[in-house]
Amino acid sequence: MKKLYFFAIGFFVLFSVQAQNQAPAYPLLTNNTYFSVWSFTNNLNGSPTRHWTGKPQSLEGIINVDGIRYRFLGQEVKPYLPLVDATVAKPEFKYLTDAPAGTWMESNFADQSWKSAEAPFGDDESTVKTTWKTDDIYLRKDFDVKNIPTEKLYLKLSHDDNVVVFLNGKSIYEKEGWVQDYIYIPVDKQLLKAGHNTLAIHVKNTAGGRHIDADLVTEPAMDDSMLLAKQTNVAVEATRTIYNFVCGGVNLNVTFMSPLLLKDVALTERPISYINYVAKSADGKKHLVRLNFTASSTLAVNTPDQPVSGTQESISGLSILKAGSVEQPVLKKKGDDLRIDWGYVYVAVPQAYKAQQLLKKSGTMIDLSTDLDFGSVAAAPISKHIIVGYDDSDPIQYFQQNLKPLWKKNNNSKFSDQLVIAEAQFPDILKRCIAFDADLNAKTIKAGGIEYAALCKLAYRQSIAAHRIVRAPTGEILFMSKENFSNGSINTVDITYPSAPQYLIYNPELLKGMLNGIFYYSESGKWKKPFPAHDLGTYPLANGQTYGEDMPVEEAGNMLILTAAIVKADGNLTYAKKHWQILTVWSDYLLTAGFDPEKQLCTDDFAGHLAHNTNLSVKAIVALGAYAQMAEKLGMKDVSVKYRKAALEMAGKWIELADAGDHYALVFKDNTTWSQKYNLIWDKMLKLNLFPKKVYSKEVAYYLTKQNDFGLPLDSRKTYTKSDWIMWTATLTDNAADFQRFVKPVYRYASQTESRVPISDWHETTTGKMVGFQARSVVGGYFIKLLADQWMVK
């Protein structure tokens, strides 16, 4: 107990003197791409908590001080209730795909010949109950109402594309276009009848996908008697987000801790986070304090209309609540804007707390509620913690084989046992996280200053939580990324490439885990082309590339450069030896096709195809130099000489053809263009010495004339940028002042942007607003300057 008091006091001393951070979003429970809950507002009680995709995944916290309740976490989410209980009437519609004759929207229309099926309808079979692939669909649902509701009535609707909705023959909503999520449209209750009613819908698809789901729902009265706790501070550290509040006469410290200590792979992989509460008197008086934490079962479903169930148990000194979907559709969905709907969310507390735990119905969901009694709180801080975890059962499918989590060593392994272990380890893990956070903070400040450190701390958990760690059937670690809000690909090579610096610093084995699947895909013969695949599929199904177009030079260059970086980080050639044959195939491809790439995509594919891309050419040249460097270390002198000579000749030719006077062009022989040559960084980092330092200097000097308020544009075509590439470009500088000139606008973007999402790496440099992407792993690239310092690259 003394240790806990020490930590509690440490929190108050450390964070009461720091200014409040501002971030685009704040990581709370961030273990992997499916178990990733954030606050999207500066105040923890300013909005409902959300999954990184932006969909609500509600965590709520209320503290009762001397009988007065204060909300400090989340907001009450409106629990819209179906007008007609689904247990009484299934959510079925009668439907036709050909235009019906007559007044088909009226209650008395004869629809006996129509088909009957369950909503939602659409063409994405992973998210619908009934497949619809025609241009039109007409739907009718009859239902009975005993009494007109006293609550407000809404139409709950998701549609793609054009829609018109009728209630008892009267139009209640019409829209051309589509919506991304469910919307709630107020409905006049006078249109309802006591007795028989009919909801009728016509949807017309004009392009792209098809989708329709609808219901009538009511809005229960909300509790408006709750006071808001006054937030006085928030600080984002590498593994923790720490809030301070004043709640009447009590100070409350709330720490969300996801112990992603990368050198400890087992701990990083275990999908368990902690919430630690510390209460102490603010006025020297004693106060009676109780605290409630509630997690919604929305953490365990893709959409809140999926039926859920919950259980309660006690095991080995823990009280545990558990909830998940009834259906448990393991690995049945793939794609980008999805949340997990298999497995179970867990909330656990020590039995010694004598906490009251309940499963409470909340609309269609279940609330996992835990009441903690702090008793009489005075000047001495009192600390209690809660464990939140997610058992995702079979998180990844890898070439048709479902892979188990690392912690699940056999069929007898239970997630509840992991919770017991996590509870026993809590004091040590807390101590380790505090020490790690302090070390990262000190080193990043030394490497790049306070603002650089803030960006790295913001990136740390985000990058890791965009992955899932599993083990391949061969026993190799797989660190599988999801291309969040980009296209949902799994294990994309050009996502691995910018992410790499964070993992080269903290555990190169995890970078190998990003490359292992791509190597296997080629070495097994499943991928037969002379360059690497772009990806291994669509998350969470890694069964082979699904992206529609290859990136030959991009991915070949990435794999070669990253292998050389691993060799440098490891201090031995084991990894390169293992894959030398396929590395040679890829090097030979670059030897013939890399210098002046034809019109093809690169990692900046959002900018479109580009022929004669000088930055892509740099990647090929550096990759060949990296291959030559590895060959030399392997004792293959003739091979090394051949490829280094080719790389040097290409570099010389590149300087000639890309030269645009005071800078180097975006494309060969076009002096009116320019671009960030961020790929040059690996010539510097690996000390290949392919390009003279004056190339770096000339580019840096030119870039500094092109900066906007929120950063350096990616190139001359647009004013948007990629913040990960800016960090790489900044590390080409040879002095701290110029480095800061690149970093400060990125920090300004991160701290001032109106785009309140886990930080987007693709933003507009004139407005500071995101263009696209969010919560992606590529922000691990922010650590490039720290890696340069670690490798003593100046």
Side-chain angles (χ1 to χ4, degrees):
M1 186 61 75
K2 288 183 179 178
K3 282 187 177 180
L4 293 183
Y5 284 152
F6 171 77
F7 292 143
I9 293 167
F11 286 151
F12 279 105
V13 171
L14 180 58
F15 295 105
S16 62
V17 296
Q18 292 187 352
Q20 179 157 317
N21 289 358
Q22 182 166 323
Y26 298 83
L28 303 179
L29 311 175
T30 48
N31 290 78
N32 56 59
T33 185
Y34 280 140
F35 185 34
S36 182
V37 185
W38 298 67
S39 172
F40 281 38
T41 49
N42 291 334
N43 288 336
L44 187 59
N45 54 15
S47 67
T49 58
R50 300 179 183 277
H51 185 255
W52 68 259
T53 56
K55 300 299 189 296
Q57 287 194 332
S58 180
L59 307 176
E60 293 187 55
I62 297 167
I63 187 170
N64 187 314
V65 179
D66 299 327
I68 300 174
R69 295 184 303 158
Y70 302 85
R71 181 185 298 279
F72 63 85
L73 165 59
Q75 275 186 352
E76 188 174 5
V77 178
K78 293 181 179 181
Y80 293 104
L81 301 174
L83 178 64
V84 179
D85 193 332
T87 61
V88 177
K90 290 184 179 180
E92 287 190 346
F93 284 84
K94 290 186 175 182
Y95 72 98
L96 282 181
T97 53
D98 295 321
T103 55
W104 62 274
M105 71 288 295
E106 298 287 350
S107 292
N108 60 1
F109 181 79
D111 59 8
Q112 292 86 347
S113 64
W114 290 33
K115 298 177 184 178
S116 183
E118 192 173 349
F121 295 76
D123 55 8
D124 182 352
E125 295 181 3
S126 68
T127 61
V128 301
K129 296 288 187 182
T130 304
T131 301
W132 161 47
K133 294 187 177 181
T134 60
D135 287 342
D136 292 89
I137 190 168
Y138 297 82
L139 305 109
R140 289 171 51 86
K141 180 163 69 172
D142 294 323
F143 58 95
D144 291 326
V145 175
K146 288 184 179 180
N147 299 299
I148 304 300
T150 57
E151 303 90 353
K152 293 179 181 178
L153 182 67
Y154 292 86
L155 171 66
K156 176 185 175 182
L157 181 67
S158 173
H159 67 92
D160 185 0
D161 292 331
N162 302 348
V163 67
V164 57
V165 185
F166 302 89
L167 177 58
N168 294 327
K170 302 292 185 181
S171 175
I172 59 173
Y173 184 73
E174 186 172 354
K175 179 180 173 65
E176 290 189 0
W178 56 278
V179 294
Q180 188 170 353
D181 201 357
Y182 284 92
I183 57 175
Y184 293 83
I185 302 107
V187 175
D188 185 354
K189 289 186 291 185
Q190 293 183 9
L191 297 177
L192 272 181
K193 302 173 184 176
H196 181 73
N197 294 266
T198 301
L199 186 68
I201 305 169
H202 172 218
V203 187
K204 184 172 186 61
N205 182 59
T206 59
R210 301 161 178 81
H211 187 85
I212 180 63
D213 191 22
D215 199 6
L216 290 172
V217 297
T218 59
E219 178 189 1
M222 305 289 282
D223 182 1
D224 58 2
S225 66
M226 191 89 61
L227 298 178
L228 289 180
K230 180 182 178 181
Q231 182 175 308
T232 58
N233 191 58
V234 57
V236 177
E237 300 297 329
T239 65
R240 297 168 299 143
T241 303
I242 304 151
Y243 293 89
N244 286 338
F245 300 92
V246 175
C247 314
V250 168
N251 288 333
L252 177 67
N253 174 276
V254 183
T255 298
F256 295 87
M257 180 173 69
S258 297
L260 306 181
L261 303 175
L262 292 175
K263 292 189 186 304
D264 189 336
V265 173
L267 178 61
T268 301
E269 183 269 345
R270 187 171 70 192
I272 291 174
S273 287
Y274 302 88
I275 308 174
N276 195 52
Y277 305 100
V278 183
K280 63 177 286 189
S281 175
D283 57 11
K285 300 177 182 178
K286 293 182 178 180
H287 300 276
L288 291 177
V289 174
R290 296 185 66 88
L291 186 148
N292 176 267
F293 169 76
T294 299
S296 169
S297 59
T298 49
L299 272 73
V301 292
N302 180 43
T303 56
D305 56 347
Q306 294 180 269
V308 293
S309 63
T311 60
Q312 189 169 358
E313 64 178 317
S314 296
I315 180 173
S316 301
L318 283 183
S319 297
I320 300 171
L321 298 174
K322 166 186 172 183
S325 69
V326 172
E327 185 183 4
Q328 290 295 303
V330 179
L331 292 167
K332 296 299 184 184
K333 295 180 177 67
K334 63 178 181 178
D336 200 350
D337 188 7
L338 291 175
R339 287 131 306 274
I340 194 168
D341 59 3
W342 72 92
Y344 298 90
V345 60
Y346 286 77
V347 176
V349 290
Q351 287 179 333
Y353 289 173
K354 297 181 180 179
Q356 295 180 3
Q357 286 196 301
L358 294 171
L359 294 169
K360 299 190 297 185
K361 189 75 173 173
S362 176
T364 57
M365 290 290 101
I366 292 173
D367 283 341
L368 291 73
S369 174
T370 301
D371 266 324
L372 299 173
D373 188 355
F374 281 69
S376 179
V377 173
I382 298 176
S383 174
K384 294 181 185 288
H385 64 273
I386 284 176
I387 300 171
V388 186
Y390 202 98
D391 176 8
D392 51 8
S393 176
D394 300 77
I396 298 290
Q397 188 174 95
Y398 183 69
F399 295 102
Q400 310 303 326
Q401 183 170 341
N402 292 0
L403 302 183
K404 301 293 182 184
L406 295 191
W407 62 263
K408 198 163 192 174
K409 300 187 184 303
N410 55 59
N411 291 332
N412 295 321
S413 300
K414 297 179 180 178
F415 192 75
S416 56
D417 294 333
Q418 295 300 307
L419 294 170
V420 172
I421 295 169
E423 169 58 26
Q425 294 176 341
F426 172 70
D428 180 61
I429 288 173
L430 180 58
K431 184 177 180 181
R432 290 167 64 190
C433 284
I434 291 172
F436 176 83
D437 292 349
D439 182 70
L440 182 147
N441 185 59
K443 287 179 177 176
T444 49
I445 288 175
K446 182 179 179 182
I450 292 174
E451 291 167 333
Y452 175 67
L455 289 166
C456 288
K457 288 187 285 186
L458 189 61
Y460 185 83
R461 272 175 285 169
Q462 174 172 314
S463 182
I464 301 167
H467 296 83
R468 186 66 172 90
I469 304 173
V470 288
R471 199 176 294 279
T474 58
E476 290 183 316
I477 285 288
L478 299 173
F479 193 38
M480 308 295 268
S481 64
K482 180 175 181 179
E483 205 171 329
N484 289 346
F485 269 19
S486 179
N487 64 9
S489 290
I490 188 169
N491 210 176
T492 302
V493 178
D494 55 286
I495 292 293
T496 296
Y497 178 64
S499 306
Q502 181 171 341
Y503 305 97
L504 287 165
I505 293 169
Y506 293 110
N507 193 344
E509 294 302 312
L510 290 174
L511 180 54
K512 294 174 191 175
M514 293 188 235
L515 305 189
N516 287 338
I518 298 294
F519 276 123
Y520 169 76
Y521 196 16
S522 284
E523 291 167 344
S524 66
K526 298 177 187 294
W527 178 262
K528 302 182 185 299
K529 298 178 182 180
F531 47 80
H534 168 270
D535 60 80
L536 291 184
T538 301
Y539 199 94
L541 307 182
N543 295 323
Q545 178 172 312
T546 52
Y547 191 69
E549 188 170 349
D550 298 330
M551 296 187 186
V553 173
E554 174 70 39
E555 311 305 17
N558 291 341
M559 291 296 288
L560 284 157
I561 290 168
L562 293 178
T563 302
I566 287 170
V567 165
K568 183 175 179 67
D570 279 352
N572 65 68
L573 293 154
T574 303
Y575 197 68
K577 282 181 183 178
K578 182 177 181 179
H579 301 293
W580 193 251
Q581 185 175 350
I582 195 66
L583 289 170
T584 300
V585 171
W586 297 339
S587 296
D588 286 343
Y589 171 79
L590 291 180
L591 202 59
T592 59
F595 173 70
D596 189 5
E598 297 176 355
K599 194 174 185 180
Q600 60 177 258
L601 293 176
C602 69
T603 184
D604 302 319
D605 54 352
F606 52 84
H609 295 78
L610 186 67
H612 318 301
N613 182 338
T614 57
N615 188 45
L616 189 57
S617 177
V618 168
K619 179 169 288 185
I621 295 166
V622 172
L624 288 170
Y627 178 78
Q629 184 184 72
M630 290 186 286
E632 181 182 20
K633 292 177 180 178
L634 285 167
M636 302 177 180
K637 189 171 182 180
D638 291 346
V639 173
S640 176
V641 169
K642 172 186 173 182
Y643 284 88
R644 179 162 180 81
K645 180 182 179 184
L648 284 168
E649 289 175 353
M650 288 181 183
K653 190 176 179 182
W654 185 96
I655 292 169
E656 177 186 346
L657 295 178
D659 191 8
D662 58 355
H663 69 281
Y664 296 95
L666 166 68
V667 295
F668 289 125
K669 298 182 179 179
D670 187 348
N671 294 358
T672 64
T673 64
W674 66 272
S675 65
Q676 290 189 48
K677 309 301 188 304
Y678 52 81
N679 287 317
L680 280 170
I681 191 59
W682 291 104
D683 183 45
K684 182 177 181 179
M685 296 292 291
L686 297 172
K687 299 182 179 179
L688 300 175
N689 300 316
L690 298 171
F691 290 87
K693 289 185 178 180
K694 65 182 181 181
V695 172
Y696 307 169
S697 300
K698 188 193 313 195
E699 282 291 274
V700 165
Y702 187 77
Y703 298 153
L704 289 173
T705 70
K706 295 296 180 180
Q707 296 234 84
N708 289 324
D709 287 348
F710 297 98
L712 175 68
L714 182 66
D715 59 48
S716 53
R717 290 174 291 178
K718 301 280 187 179
T719 54
Y720 58 54
T721 194
K722 292 280 275 77
S723 56
D724 47 345
W725 298 146
I726 290 179
M727 292 298 192
W728 290 29
T729 294
T731 307
L732 290 171
T733 61
D734 58 8
N735 64 86
D738 283 347
F739 179 80
Q740 289 296 325
R741 291 175 70 185
F742 287 110
V743 170
K744 284 182 180 296
V746 178
Y747 177 77
R748 187 179 303 122
Y749 154 67
S751 59
Q752 297 180 15
T753 181
E754 298 175 16
S755 303
R756 305 311 302 269
V757 299
I759 191 167
S760 170
D761 53 285
W762 181 19
H763 74 269
E764 176 55 61
T765 62
T766 57
T767 65
K769 294 180 180 179
M770 67 181 287
V771 179
F773 308 156
Q774 66 192 54
R776 300 207 311 167
S777 65
V778 301
V779 293
Y782 290 4
F783 285 86
I784 188 74
K785 180 62 169 65
L786 183 60
L787 179 65
D789 279 20
Q790 182 174 296
W791 284 1
M792 294 183 287
V793 175
K794 302 298 182 185

